Amino acid sequence: MNVFEYQAKEAFRDNGIPTPRGVVIKSIEEVESAVNEISLPCVIKSQILRGGRGKLGLIKFVKTMEEAQKVAKELFASEYNVQILLIEEAVQMDKEVYLAVTVDPVTSKAMFIACAEGGVEIEILAKETPEKLITVQVDLAEGLGAYHINNLIFGLGLTGDIAKQFGAMARNLYKTFRACDANLAEINPVFITKDEKVIAGDGKLIIDDNSIPRQPKFPLMREYFDTQVEYEANVEGLPFLQFDGDICLMCAGAGLTTTVYDLVSDFGGTVATYAEFGGPNYTKAVRTMELVLQHPSKVILVITFGTIARADVMAQGLVDAIKIHKPSIPIVTCIRGTGEEEAFKILRDAGIEPLTNTEEAVQRAVDIAAGRV
Amino acid sequence: MSIFINKESKVIVQGVTGKEGAFWTQHMKAMGTNVVFGVTPGKEGQNVDGIPVYHSVRRGIQDHQAEVSMLFVPPKFVKDAVFEALDAGITKICTIADGIPLHESLEIRKAALSCGAMVIGGNTSGLISIGEAMLGTIPYWIERVYKKGNIGVMTRSGSLTNEVTAEIVGGGFGVTTLIGVGGDPVPGTRFAELLPMYEADPETKGVVIIGELGGTMEEEVADAMEDKIFTKPLVAFMGGRNAPEGKRMGHAGAIVSGGRGTVKGKTAAIEKAGGKVAKRPSEVPTLLHEFFG
């Protein structure tokens, strides 16, 4: 789970990493007091989860209160669903550096990545100048040692007090990474200011999804999602994405659902919603259908091949969901796995034809959406 | 023959007295798995389906030989259970737990690597050597999916495995050993680490991998083929070819791999190494027939 920049910076500060002073606001009425607190000039940063905010014009430097008001208004009204702004002090910066801690699944260690030229997206650095990246691996059981830090700071060519400050930042970023059960803790850029201070210019923190139950500091926020229905589904643990297409996917298993998405595209169809009701959610057909029906679509496509998620239970759930929600659009089913004979009977008794071949079912749904059936 | 586990393998079950553990242990045994004892702290002296229960792995090991452990343990206790098994000298471990915290997954895999052991999972339904032994929650009784044959299968998913394996069997093939490495970002064992075992198994004539976007496990398979560590026919199917960018994919994978992680990139790597890549599940048997005639 990706969290907002202001949340990442709060976690950084909690672990001793210096950041610019900032105030978080959620409405235009709060601009004046926030700007007065930070003082002009300042930077107004849109809090959204996608990258490339600078290029999209979602981070603005302002010199006057009028300008701040105007910019804040524009950002709140932008097409990127900006609901939170971070008003931050402007920093006199001399140099930008990249620093992150992530995981290396092969060596099974934590891994620092650093680069003396920060500010650019790391993917671009990795592609264009991989030789400039410095990586340092840390065994979690062994913990972070002085030699790890030395390899970082001397690798970057830092000296004197700046090297000392950067070393402390790296230690504290590792602390943040561990304390937050992070998949990625990234500072891009680290600012080295004209008066030789090392501070976190930006902050990115991805919390491991499996660790969310033990990270109560990071609850799912409505602002992470574009729509209310995506938020509600995710709070209930139902993987759910919304698109602009015609076909509603109600499938089971991440791999199978992703494959059905691929097949729909290959066969010329488009997806309206991506909903999974497999695994621990296999008894939640009624609720899943309620959620998917909130978004207009032309056909519901149900494809499962479960083992513990029994086919007969899923088929009965689907029949119950139809009785309760009375969808006005057709439903194509391909429900197989444990108890499938019983599942086919349940569906037939409810007047639904049980298909057993995934590609045939996808083709049927695509044809219905295109008005060919 | 088979890999990882066969009918002679001596298996223990940690968490044997829980509802899920007891239910699936009976299925494992019914299929032929040689389960020698179970472990649940505080329940020594009981038995599950005739299997004696011990307080700890070390206590059971005093009375019985064993080299494999199946864990029916909730995610937050998996690390401790793995360390306990390793401490008692167990070398092959399987965990189906869905929700192991990432940093604990790192410690689990690192500990196993350090002592030359293997952990399969978590977030998997387990593994099966058809007709011989099973670890986990695999419905071996569904014959159109779990039929004996000459193809090794490695997978990152559950339902999709049933889908693809049904196609393999429907195409006239069968399976030697199917291993679900699991869907977590740091699986205990990676695809490429299992390839030498399939290479050495005379009964396995080829391997099917069921992968997906993200990570680098499929690229590592291609590397193993380029390095001639694996020389048998290989067919891959990978989900997520048309997945919209940025919706699910993480950042870190792309960083460490320099652009690796897309299905397009994975496909190119596997094809370059001499493997074949199916665009949809029904193409998997077609491509196997191209190899085997």
Short mmCIF file of all heavy atoms in Angstrom, two decimals, chain A residues 102 105-106 108 111 113 123 139-140 177-178 182 204 208 210-211 214 258-259 261-262 265-266 274 305 307 336 340 358-359, chain B residues 99-104 106 109-110 139 144 159-160 162-163 184 190 220 237 240-242 244 248 251-252 255-256 280 282:
data_model
loop_
_atom_site.label_atom_id
_atom_site.label_comp_id
_atom_site.label_asym_id
_atom_site.label_seq_id
_atom_site.Cartn_x
_atom_site.Cartn_y
_atom_site.Cartn_z
N THR A 102 14.86 -0.84 -0.11
CA THR A 102 13.82 -1.73 -0.62
C THR A 102 14.24 -3.16 -0.29
O THR A 102 15.10 -3.38 0.56
CB THR A 102 13.59 -1.48 -2.13
OG1 THR A 102 12.52 -2.30 -2.57
CG2 THR A 102 14.83 -1.77 -2.96
N PRO A 105 14.42 -9.73 -3.34
CA PRO A 105 13.81 -11.03 -3.07
C PRO A 105 14.73 -12.22 -3.37
O PRO A 105 14.48 -13.31 -2.90
CB PRO A 105 12.57 -11.05 -3.98
CG PRO A 105 12.81 -10.01 -5.01
CD PRO A 105 13.77 -9.01 -4.44
N VAL A 106 15.79 -12.02 -4.15
CA VAL A 106 16.68 -13.13 -4.49
C VAL A 106 17.66 -13.41 -3.34
O VAL A 106 17.73 -14.52 -2.83
CB VAL A 106 17.45 -12.86 -5.80
CG1 VAL A 106 18.40 -14.01 -6.11
CG2 VAL A 106 16.47 -12.65 -6.95
N SER A 108 17.28 -12.12 -0.50
CA SER A 108 16.42 -12.06 0.69
C SER A 108 17.00 -11.12 1.75
O SER A 108 17.01 -11.43 2.93
CB SER A 108 16.18 -13.46 1.25
OG SER A 108 14.85 -13.58 1.69
N MET A 111 17.86 -3.72 0.84
CA MET A 111 18.85 -3.18 -0.09
C MET A 111 18.73 -1.65 -0.16
O MET A 111 17.67 -1.12 -0.48
CB MET A 111 18.65 -3.78 -1.47
CG MET A 111 19.63 -3.23 -2.51
SD MET A 111 19.63 -4.22 -4.02
CE MET A 111 18.00 -3.90 -4.64
N ILE A 113 19.59 1.68 -2.16
CA ILE A 113 19.98 2.14 -3.49
C ILE A 113 20.24 3.64 -3.35
O ILE A 113 19.43 4.37 -2.77
CB ILE A 113 18.87 1.90 -4.53
CG1 ILE A 113 18.47 0.42 -4.57
CG2 ILE A 113 19.32 2.37 -5.91
CD1 ILE A 113 17.30 0.13 -5.47
N GLU A 123 13.81 4.76 -12.23
CA GLU A 123 13.76 3.88 -13.39
C GLU A 123 14.63 4.42 -14.52
O GLU A 123 15.28 3.67 -15.24
CB GLU A 123 12.32 3.71 -13.90
CG GLU A 123 11.42 2.88 -13.00
CD GLU A 123 10.81 3.70 -11.89
OE1 GLU A 123 11.20 4.88 -11.70
OE2 GLU A 123 9.96 3.15 -11.18
N ASP A 139 21.54 -7.74 5.72
CA ASP A 139 20.85 -8.91 6.27
C ASP A 139 20.03 -8.46 7.49
O ASP A 139 20.58 -7.89 8.42
CB ASP A 139 21.92 -9.94 6.68
CG ASP A 139 21.31 -11.25 7.15
OD1 ASP A 139 20.18 -11.22 7.70
OD2 ASP A 139 21.95 -12.30 6.97
N LEU A 140 18.71 -8.71 7.44
CA LEU A 140 17.86 -8.21 8.53
C LEU A 140 18.29 -8.74 9.90
O LEU A 140 18.25 -8.01 10.89
CB LEU A 140 16.38 -8.58 8.29
CG LEU A 140 15.66 -8.01 7.08
CD1 LEU A 140 14.17 -8.21 7.22
CD2 LEU A 140 15.99 -6.56 6.85
N PHE A 177 12.09 2.06 7.39
CA PHE A 177 11.78 0.87 6.57
C PHE A 177 11.38 -0.30 7.47
O PHE A 177 10.37 -0.96 7.25
CB PHE A 177 13.03 0.54 5.74
CG PHE A 177 13.04 -0.80 5.07
CD1 PHE A 177 12.38 -1.00 3.86
CD2 PHE A 177 13.74 -1.87 5.63
CE1 PHE A 177 12.42 -2.24 3.23
CE2 PHE A 177 13.77 -3.11 5.01
CZ PHE A 177 13.10 -3.29 3.80
N ARG A 178 12.15 -0.52 8.53
CA ARG A 178 11.87 -1.64 9.44
C ARG A 178 10.61 -1.36 10.27
O ARG A 178 9.75 -2.22 10.40
CB ARG A 178 13.07 -1.88 10.38
CG ARG A 178 14.31 -2.41 9.68
CD ARG A 178 14.13 -3.85 9.22
NE ARG A 178 14.29 -4.80 10.31
CZ ARG A 178 13.59 -5.92 10.43
NH1 ARG A 178 12.65 -6.22 9.55
NH2 ARG A 178 13.81 -6.75 11.44
N ALA A 182 8.06 -1.68 5.51
CA ALA A 182 7.97 -1.11 4.16
C ALA A 182 8.51 -2.07 3.11
O ALA A 182 9.39 -2.89 3.37
CB ALA A 182 8.75 0.20 4.10
N LYS A 204 8.54 8.81 -0.23
CA LYS A 204 7.66 7.77 -0.73
C LYS A 204 7.79 6.56 0.17
O LYS A 204 8.91 6.15 0.52
CB LYS A 204 8.05 7.41 -2.17
CG LYS A 204 7.13 6.36 -2.75
CD LYS A 204 7.30 6.24 -4.24
CE LYS A 204 6.36 5.16 -4.73
NZ LYS A 204 6.14 5.20 -6.15
N ASP A 208 4.06 -2.89 3.15
CA ASP A 208 3.74 -4.25 2.70
C ASP A 208 2.28 -4.58 3.01
O ASP A 208 1.83 -4.39 4.14
CB ASP A 208 4.68 -5.23 3.44
CG ASP A 208 4.18 -6.66 3.34
OD1 ASP A 208 3.83 -7.09 2.23
OD2 ASP A 208 4.12 -7.34 4.38
N ASN A 210 0.74 -7.38 3.40
CA ASN A 210 0.55 -8.41 4.44
C ASN A 210 0.78 -7.86 5.84
O ASN A 210 0.38 -8.48 6.82
CB ASN A 210 1.52 -9.58 4.22
CG ASN A 210 1.10 -10.46 3.06
OD1 ASN A 210 0.00 -10.34 2.53
ND2 ASN A 210 2.00 -11.34 2.64
N SER A 211 1.47 -6.71 5.95
CA SER A 211 1.80 -6.17 7.27
C SER A 211 0.81 -5.10 7.73
O SER A 211 0.94 -4.58 8.83
CB SER A 211 3.22 -5.58 7.25
OG SER A 211 4.15 -6.55 6.85
N ARG A 214 -0.63 -5.07 11.24
CA ARG A 214 0.20 -4.66 12.37
C ARG A 214 0.79 -3.26 12.20
O ARG A 214 1.74 -2.89 12.87
CB ARG A 214 1.30 -5.70 12.64
CG ARG A 214 2.30 -5.90 11.52
CD ARG A 214 3.30 -6.99 11.94
NE ARG A 214 4.54 -6.88 11.19
CZ ARG A 214 5.54 -7.74 11.31
NH1 ARG A 214 5.44 -8.76 12.13
NH2 ARG A 214 6.64 -7.57 10.60
N THR A 258 -6.67 -11.86 -13.61
CA THR A 258 -5.77 -11.13 -14.51
C THR A 258 -5.77 -11.76 -15.90
O THR A 258 -5.77 -11.06 -16.92
CB THR A 258 -4.34 -11.14 -13.93
OG1 THR A 258 -4.40 -10.70 -12.58
CG2 THR A 258 -3.43 -10.24 -14.69
N THR A 259 -5.81 -13.10 -15.94
CA THR A 259 -5.84 -13.80 -17.23
C THR A 259 -7.15 -13.52 -17.97
O THR A 259 -7.14 -13.31 -19.18
CB THR A 259 -5.66 -15.32 -16.99
OG1 THR A 259 -4.38 -15.53 -16.39
CG2 THR A 259 -5.76 -16.11 -18.28
N TYR A 261 -8.89 -10.85 -17.68
CA TYR A 261 -8.72 -9.46 -18.16
C TYR A 261 -7.96 -9.47 -19.50
O TYR A 261 -8.36 -8.81 -20.46
CB TYR A 261 -7.98 -8.62 -17.12
CG TYR A 261 -7.88 -7.15 -17.46
CD1 TYR A 261 -8.69 -6.22 -16.85
CD2 TYR A 261 -6.98 -6.70 -18.43
CE1 TYR A 261 -8.62 -4.88 -17.16
CE2 TYR A 261 -6.90 -5.35 -18.76
CZ TYR A 261 -7.72 -4.45 -18.12
OH TYR A 261 -7.65 -3.12 -18.45
N ASP A 262 -6.87 -10.23 -19.56
CA ASP A 262 -6.08 -10.34 -20.80
C ASP A 262 -6.94 -10.86 -21.95
O ASP A 262 -6.90 -10.34 -23.06
CB ASP A 262 -4.90 -11.32 -20.62
CG ASP A 262 -3.80 -10.75 -19.73
OD1 ASP A 262 -3.80 -9.53 -19.48
OD2 ASP A 262 -2.94 -11.54 -19.30
N SER A 265 -9.49 -8.39 -23.37
CA SER A 265 -8.83 -7.43 -24.27
C SER A 265 -8.47 -8.09 -25.60
O SER A 265 -8.68 -7.50 -26.66
CB SER A 265 -7.55 -6.89 -23.62
OG SER A 265 -7.80 -6.46 -22.32
N ASP A 266 -7.93 -9.31 -25.54
CA ASP A 266 -7.55 -10.02 -26.77
C ASP A 266 -8.76 -10.24 -27.69
O ASP A 266 -8.64 -10.19 -28.91
CB ASP A 266 -6.95 -11.39 -26.44
CG ASP A 266 -5.52 -11.28 -25.93
OD1 ASP A 266 -4.94 -10.19 -26.06
OD2 ASP A 266 -5.00 -12.28 -25.41
N TYR A 274 -13.07 -4.82 -12.21
CA TYR A 274 -12.27 -5.99 -11.92
C TYR A 274 -12.53 -6.30 -10.46
O TYR A 274 -12.13 -5.53 -9.59
CB TYR A 274 -10.80 -5.62 -12.18
CG TYR A 274 -9.75 -6.60 -11.73
CD1 TYR A 274 -8.97 -7.27 -12.67
CD2 TYR A 274 -9.48 -6.84 -10.39
CE1 TYR A 274 -7.96 -8.14 -12.28
CE2 TYR A 274 -8.49 -7.71 -9.98
CZ TYR A 274 -7.73 -8.36 -10.94
OH TYR A 274 -6.74 -9.22 -10.55
N PHE A 305 -12.29 -21.18 -10.70
CA PHE A 305 -11.83 -22.57 -10.75
C PHE A 305 -11.21 -22.86 -9.40
O PHE A 305 -10.00 -22.95 -9.25
CB PHE A 305 -10.82 -22.78 -11.89
CG PHE A 305 -10.78 -24.19 -12.42
CD1 PHE A 305 -10.61 -24.42 -13.78
CD2 PHE A 305 -10.91 -25.28 -11.58
CE1 PHE A 305 -10.58 -25.71 -14.30
CE2 PHE A 305 -10.88 -26.57 -12.09
CZ PHE A 305 -10.71 -26.79 -13.45
N THR A 307 -10.69 -24.44 -5.34
CA THR A 307 -10.53 -25.71 -4.66
C THR A 307 -11.12 -25.60 -3.26
O THR A 307 -12.15 -26.19 -2.98
CB THR A 307 -9.05 -26.11 -4.61
OG1 THR A 307 -8.31 -25.04 -4.06
CG2 THR A 307 -8.55 -26.37 -5.99
N ARG A 336 -16.12 -23.53 -11.91
CA ARG A 336 -15.64 -24.92 -11.86
C ARG A 336 -14.81 -25.16 -10.60
O ARG A 336 -14.52 -24.25 -9.86
CB ARG A 336 -14.79 -25.23 -13.11
CG ARG A 336 -15.56 -25.11 -14.40
CD ARG A 336 -14.69 -24.53 -15.49
NE ARG A 336 -14.15 -23.25 -15.09
CZ ARG A 336 -13.08 -22.70 -15.62
NH1 ARG A 336 -12.42 -23.33 -16.57
NH2 ARG A 336 -12.65 -21.53 -15.21
N GLU A 340 -18.21 -29.03 -8.49
CA GLU A 340 -18.71 -28.36 -9.70
C GLU A 340 -20.00 -28.98 -10.24
O GLU A 340 -20.84 -28.26 -10.79
CB GLU A 340 -17.62 -28.30 -10.79
CG GLU A 340 -17.16 -29.65 -11.32
CD GLU A 340 -16.01 -29.53 -12.32
OE1 GLU A 340 -15.36 -28.47 -12.38
OE2 GLU A 340 -15.79 -30.50 -13.06
N THR A 358 -13.30 -21.42 -20.21
CA THR A 358 -13.03 -20.01 -19.95
C THR A 358 -13.09 -19.17 -21.23
O THR A 358 -13.72 -18.11 -21.26
CB THR A 358 -11.65 -19.87 -19.29
OG1 THR A 358 -11.70 -20.52 -18.03
CG2 THR A 358 -11.26 -18.42 -19.09
N GLU A 359 -12.42 -19.64 -22.27
CA GLU A 359 -12.35 -18.82 -23.49
C GLU A 359 -13.73 -18.67 -24.14
O GLU A 359 -14.07 -17.61 -24.66
CB GLU A 359 -11.32 -19.41 -24.46
CG GLU A 359 -9.90 -19.14 -23.95
CD GLU A 359 -8.82 -19.94 -24.65
OE1 GLU A 359 -8.98 -20.25 -25.84
OE2 GLU A 359 -7.81 -20.25 -23.97
N GLY B 99 -0.45 -14.14 3.98
CA GLY B 99 -0.38 -12.95 4.83
C GLY B 99 0.88 -12.90 5.68
O GLY B 99 0.90 -12.20 6.70
N ILE B 100 1.92 -13.61 5.31
CA ILE B 100 3.19 -13.54 6.06
C ILE B 100 3.77 -12.14 5.85
O ILE B 100 3.95 -11.70 4.71
CB ILE B 100 4.20 -14.59 5.57
CG1 ILE B 100 3.61 -16.00 5.66
CG2 ILE B 100 5.51 -14.50 6.37
CD1 ILE B 100 4.46 -17.06 4.97
N PRO B 101 4.07 -11.41 6.94
CA PRO B 101 4.65 -10.07 6.77
C PRO B 101 5.95 -10.13 5.95
O PRO B 101 6.77 -11.03 6.13
CB PRO B 101 4.93 -9.62 8.22
CG PRO B 101 3.96 -10.41 9.04
CD PRO B 101 3.84 -11.74 8.36
N LEU B 102 6.11 -9.16 5.05
CA LEU B 102 7.23 -9.15 4.10
C LEU B 102 8.59 -9.32 4.77
O LEU B 102 9.41 -10.13 4.34
CB LEU B 102 7.20 -7.83 3.31
CG LEU B 102 8.36 -7.58 2.36
CD1 LEU B 102 8.29 -8.50 1.16
CD2 LEU B 102 8.35 -6.12 1.89
N HIS B 103 8.83 -8.56 5.84
CA HIS B 103 10.15 -8.62 6.46
C HIS B 103 10.40 -10.00 7.09
O HIS B 103 11.55 -10.44 7.17
CB HIS B 103 10.31 -7.50 7.49
CG HIS B 103 10.39 -6.13 6.87
ND1 HIS B 103 10.88 -5.03 7.51
CD2 HIS B 103 10.05 -5.69 5.63
CE1 HIS B 103 10.83 -3.97 6.71
NE2 HIS B 103 10.31 -4.36 5.57
N GLU B 104 9.32 -10.67 7.50
CA GLU B 104 9.49 -12.03 8.02
C GLU B 104 9.75 -13.02 6.89
O GLU B 104 10.51 -13.97 7.05
CB GLU B 104 8.27 -12.43 8.86
CG GLU B 104 8.16 -11.54 10.10
CD GLU B 104 7.15 -12.01 11.12
OE1 GLU B 104 6.46 -13.02 10.91
OE2 GLU B 104 7.05 -11.33 12.17
N LEU B 106 11.50 -12.30 4.32
CA LEU B 106 12.93 -12.13 4.05
C LEU B 106 13.75 -12.98 5.02
O LEU B 106 14.69 -13.68 4.63
CB LEU B 106 13.34 -10.66 4.19
CG LEU B 106 12.85 -9.68 3.12
CD1 LEU B 106 13.20 -8.25 3.53
CD2 LEU B 106 13.45 -9.98 1.75
N ARG B 109 13.34 -16.88 4.25
CA ARG B 109 14.10 -17.36 3.09
C ARG B 109 15.60 -17.32 3.38
O ARG B 109 16.34 -18.24 3.03
CB ARG B 109 13.76 -16.52 1.85
CG ARG B 109 14.59 -16.89 0.62
CD ARG B 109 14.09 -16.20 -0.64
NE ARG B 109 15.14 -16.08 -1.63
CZ ARG B 109 15.55 -17.06 -2.42
NH1 ARG B 109 14.96 -18.24 -2.37
NH2 ARG B 109 16.53 -16.87 -3.28
N LYS B 110 16.04 -16.23 4.04
CA LYS B 110 17.47 -16.10 4.34
C LYS B 110 17.94 -17.24 5.24
O LYS B 110 18.99 -17.84 5.01
CB LYS B 110 17.73 -14.73 5.02
CG LYS B 110 19.18 -14.40 5.20
CD LYS B 110 19.81 -14.14 3.86
CE LYS B 110 21.32 -14.16 3.79
NZ LYS B 110 22.09 -14.47 4.95
N PRO B 139 -6.67 -30.36 -4.24
CA PRO B 139 -7.75 -31.34 -4.44
C PRO B 139 -7.35 -32.39 -5.48
O PRO B 139 -7.81 -32.36 -6.62
CB PRO B 139 -8.91 -30.47 -4.91
CG PRO B 139 -8.26 -29.32 -5.61
CD PRO B 139 -6.93 -29.10 -4.95
N ARG B 144 -9.45 -34.40 -13.88
CA ARG B 144 -9.14 -33.68 -15.11
C ARG B 144 -8.09 -32.60 -14.88
O ARG B 144 -7.64 -31.94 -15.80
CB ARG B 144 -10.39 -33.13 -15.77
CG ARG B 144 -11.04 -31.97 -15.08
CD ARG B 144 -12.34 -31.63 -15.82
NE ARG B 144 -13.16 -30.76 -15.04
CZ ARG B 144 -13.24 -29.45 -15.24
NH1 ARG B 144 -12.53 -28.88 -16.18
NH2 ARG B 144 -14.02 -28.71 -14.49
N SER B 159 -6.10 -20.58 -8.53
CA SER B 159 -7.17 -20.88 -9.49
C SER B 159 -6.63 -21.00 -10.91
O SER B 159 -7.05 -21.86 -11.69
CB SER B 159 -8.23 -19.78 -9.46
OG SER B 159 -8.87 -19.76 -8.21
N LEU B 160 -5.68 -20.14 -11.27
CA LEU B 160 -5.11 -20.18 -12.62
C LEU B 160 -4.37 -21.49 -12.86
O LEU B 160 -4.32 -21.98 -13.99
CB LEU B 160 -4.18 -18.98 -12.81
CG LEU B 160 -3.51 -18.83 -14.17
CD1 LEU B 160 -4.55 -18.73 -15.28
CD2 LEU B 160 -2.60 -17.60 -14.19
N ASN B 162 -5.30 -24.44 -11.69
CA ASN B 162 -6.33 -25.41 -12.08
C ASN B 162 -6.70 -25.23 -13.55
O ASN B 162 -6.83 -26.19 -14.31
CB ASN B 162 -7.58 -25.23 -11.21
CG ASN B 162 -7.33 -25.63 -9.76
OD1 ASN B 162 -6.44 -26.42 -9.48
ND2 ASN B 162 -8.12 -25.08 -8.86
N GLU B 163 -6.87 -23.97 -13.95
CA GLU B 163 -7.23 -23.64 -15.33
C GLU B 163 -6.19 -24.19 -16.32
O GLU B 163 -6.52 -24.88 -17.28
CB GLU B 163 -7.32 -22.10 -15.45
CG GLU B 163 -7.68 -21.56 -16.81
CD GLU B 163 -9.17 -21.65 -17.10
OE1 GLU B 163 -9.96 -21.42 -16.18
OE2 GLU B 163 -9.52 -21.96 -18.26
N ASP B 184 3.41 -14.45 -2.99
CA ASP B 184 3.99 -13.37 -2.20
C ASP B 184 5.17 -12.72 -2.93
O ASP B 184 5.79 -13.33 -3.78
CB ASP B 184 4.45 -13.90 -0.84
CG ASP B 184 3.31 -14.00 0.16
OD1 ASP B 184 2.24 -13.42 -0.11
OD2 ASP B 184 3.49 -14.65 1.20
N ARG B 190 12.32 -19.87 -5.31
CA ARG B 190 12.04 -19.25 -6.60
C ARG B 190 12.04 -20.30 -7.70
O ARG B 190 12.68 -21.35 -7.58
CB ARG B 190 13.07 -18.16 -6.87
CG ARG B 190 13.14 -17.16 -5.71
CD ARG B 190 14.20 -16.11 -5.89
NE ARG B 190 13.92 -15.19 -6.99
CZ ARG B 190 13.02 -14.20 -6.92
NH1 ARG B 190 12.34 -14.01 -5.81
NH2 ARG B 190 12.81 -13.40 -7.95
N GLU B 220 14.63 -15.22 -14.42
CA GLU B 220 15.64 -16.11 -13.84
C GLU B 220 15.55 -17.50 -14.46
O GLU B 220 16.56 -18.18 -14.64
CB GLU B 220 15.46 -16.20 -12.32
CG GLU B 220 15.78 -14.88 -11.61
CD GLU B 220 15.12 -14.75 -10.24
OE1 GLU B 220 14.80 -15.78 -9.63
OE2 GLU B 220 14.90 -13.60 -9.80
N PHE B 237 3.13 -19.86 -19.39
CA PHE B 237 1.96 -19.00 -19.55
C PHE B 237 2.03 -17.96 -18.46
O PHE B 237 2.30 -18.28 -17.30
CB PHE B 237 0.64 -19.78 -19.44
CG PHE B 237 -0.53 -18.83 -19.43
CD1 PHE B 237 -0.98 -18.25 -20.59
CD2 PHE B 237 -1.13 -18.45 -18.22
CE1 PHE B 237 -2.02 -17.32 -20.58
CE2 PHE B 237 -2.16 -17.52 -18.19
CZ PHE B 237 -2.60 -16.96 -19.38
N GLY B 240 -1.44 -11.19 -17.01
CA GLY B 240 -1.14 -9.77 -16.85
C GLY B 240 -0.53 -9.11 -18.06
O GLY B 240 0.01 -8.01 -17.97
N ARG B 241 -0.66 -9.77 -19.22
CA ARG B 241 -0.08 -9.22 -20.47
C ARG B 241 -0.70 -7.87 -20.82
O ARG B 241 -0.03 -6.97 -21.28
CB ARG B 241 -0.36 -10.22 -21.59
CG ARG B 241 0.48 -10.09 -22.82
CD ARG B 241 0.48 -11.40 -23.61
NE ARG B 241 -0.76 -12.16 -23.49
CZ ARG B 241 -1.80 -12.02 -24.31
NH1 ARG B 241 -1.77 -11.14 -25.29
NH2 ARG B 241 -2.89 -12.76 -24.14
N ASN B 242 -2.00 -7.74 -20.57
CA ASN B 242 -2.70 -6.50 -20.93
C ASN B 242 -3.03 -5.64 -19.71
O ASN B 242 -3.81 -4.70 -19.82
CB ASN B 242 -4.01 -6.83 -21.67
CG ASN B 242 -3.77 -7.55 -22.98
OD1 ASN B 242 -2.77 -7.32 -23.64
ND2 ASN B 242 -4.66 -8.46 -23.35
N PRO B 244 -3.28 -2.85 -17.14
CA PRO B 244 -2.95 -1.43 -17.28
C PRO B 244 -1.80 -1.06 -16.35
O PRO B 244 -1.77 -1.49 -15.21
CB PRO B 244 -4.24 -0.73 -16.85
CG PRO B 244 -5.01 -1.73 -16.09
CD PRO B 244 -4.59 -3.08 -16.55
N ARG B 248 -1.32 -2.13 -10.52
CA ARG B 248 -0.97 -3.14 -9.53
C ARG B 248 0.53 -3.25 -9.30
O ARG B 248 0.95 -3.70 -8.28
CB ARG B 248 -1.46 -4.52 -10.00
CG ARG B 248 -2.94 -4.72 -9.89
CD ARG B 248 -3.32 -6.10 -10.37
NE ARG B 248 -3.07 -7.11 -9.34
CZ ARG B 248 -3.98 -7.49 -8.47
NH1 ARG B 248 -5.17 -6.96 -8.48
NH2 ARG B 248 -3.71 -8.41 -7.58
N HIS B 251 7.01 -0.68 -7.34
CA HIS B 251 8.09 0.16 -7.81
C HIS B 251 9.40 -0.61 -7.74
O HIS B 251 10.20 -0.59 -8.66
CB HIS B 251 8.19 1.36 -6.88
CG HIS B 251 8.50 2.63 -7.55
ND1 HIS B 251 7.62 3.25 -8.40
CD2 HIS B 251 9.59 3.41 -7.50
CE1 HIS B 251 8.17 4.36 -8.83
NE2 HIS B 251 9.37 4.48 -8.31
N ALA B 252 9.57 -1.30 -6.61
CA ALA B 252 10.87 -1.88 -6.29
C ALA B 252 11.33 -2.89 -7.34
O ALA B 252 12.49 -2.91 -7.72
CB ALA B 252 10.80 -2.55 -4.92
N ILE B 255 12.98 -1.25 -10.16
CA ILE B 255 14.27 -0.64 -9.83
C ILE B 255 15.40 -1.67 -9.92
O ILE B 255 16.34 -1.49 -10.66
CB ILE B 255 14.26 -0.07 -8.38
CG1 ILE B 255 13.26 1.07 -8.28
CG2 ILE B 255 15.65 0.42 -8.01
CD1 ILE B 255 13.09 1.57 -6.86
N VAL B 256 15.24 -2.76 -9.17
CA VAL B 256 16.35 -3.71 -9.09
C VAL B 256 16.60 -4.41 -10.42
O VAL B 256 17.66 -4.93 -10.66
CB VAL B 256 16.13 -4.79 -8.00
CG1 VAL B 256 16.20 -4.14 -6.64
CG2 VAL B 256 14.84 -5.54 -8.20
N ARG B 280 -2.55 -17.84 -24.29
CA ARG B 280 -3.72 -18.15 -23.47
C ARG B 280 -3.59 -19.59 -22.97
O ARG B 280 -2.83 -20.38 -23.55
CB ARG B 280 -4.99 -17.95 -24.29
CG ARG B 280 -4.99 -18.66 -25.61
CD ARG B 280 -6.22 -18.34 -26.43
NE ARG B 280 -6.13 -17.06 -27.09
CZ ARG B 280 -6.85 -16.72 -28.16
NH1 ARG B 280 -7.72 -17.57 -28.66
NH2 ARG B 280 -6.69 -15.55 -28.71
N SER B 282 -5.24 -22.29 -23.28
CA SER B 282 -5.48 -23.39 -24.22
C SER B 282 -4.32 -23.60 -25.18
O SER B 282 -4.24 -24.64 -25.84
CB SER B 282 -6.78 -23.13 -25.01
OG SER B 282 -6.63 -21.96 -25.80
#
